Amino acid sequence: MIFTENKAIYQQIAARIHEEILSGVYQVDDRIPSVREYAGIVEVNANTVMRTYDLLQSQGIIYNKRGIGFFVSPHAVGIIRKMRRENFREVEADYFFGLLESLEISPDELYKMYQNYLHQKTQKL
């Protein structure tokens, strides 16, 4: 995994796991790789992955079955989407709308672009 410098590594790994859950790599109640296994996958120290799993557990996205491993929470998808919506509203929306304004993209044009995106996405499925 390639990491950026603008966010802690354990948070970047958590975002990756969020994405893996949203994309269906891990389903509700699926066991996720052990701390050591995931550390090998993303090529980091196991302590970093443990910190990630602690974060995900505190967010309600995964839960631990003692002696068995970590599993995806039944509410993980809803929690992740809620967190991402809040982040979009609080952090990314100003940049996004500023970009639209600077590129002179009208709401109608944006709507058409979004509809086209959705259409193309459904054609790939």
Side-chain angles (χ1 to χ4, degrees), residues 15-41:
R16 175 186 167 138
I17 294 172
H18 287 174
E19 192 58 42
E20 290 171 337
I21 291 169
L22 290 177
S23 67
V25 173
Y26 304 121
Q27 304 280 328
V28 169
D29 291 324
D30 277 355
R31 183 181 174 278
I32 61 174
S34 72
V35 169
R36 289 184 192 271
E37 290 169 336
Y38 210 84
I41 291 169

Side-chain angles (χ1 to χ4, degrees), residues 19-80:
E19 192 58 42
E20 290 171 337
I21 291 169
L22 290 177
S23 67
V25 173
Y26 304 121
Q27 304 280 328
V28 169
D29 291 324
D30 277 355
R31 183 181 174 278
I32 61 174
S34 72
V35 169
R36 289 184 192 271
E37 290 169 336
Y38 210 84
I41 291 169
V42 295
E43 300 177 339
V44 299
N45 186 293
N47 291 330
T48 303
V49 174
M50 190 64 229
R51 191 167 181 193
T52 300
Y53 282 18
D54 286 343
L55 173 64
L56 293 171
Q57 196 169 8
S58 73
Q59 293 171 334
I61 293 169
I62 63 173
Y63 62 93
N64 187 11
K65 288 185 180 178
R66 185 169 224 137
I68 300 174
F70 290 93
F71 295 80
V72 177
S73 164
H75 305 290
V77 171
I79 293 168
I80 294 166

Side-chain angles (χ1 to χ4, degrees), residues 108-120:
D108 289 338
E109 186 178 357
L110 176 62
Y111 177 77
K112 289 175 188 172
M113 291 167 65
Y114 184 62
Q115 290 299 319
N116 186 47
Y117 164 80
L118 293 175
H119 178 73
Q120 289 178 354

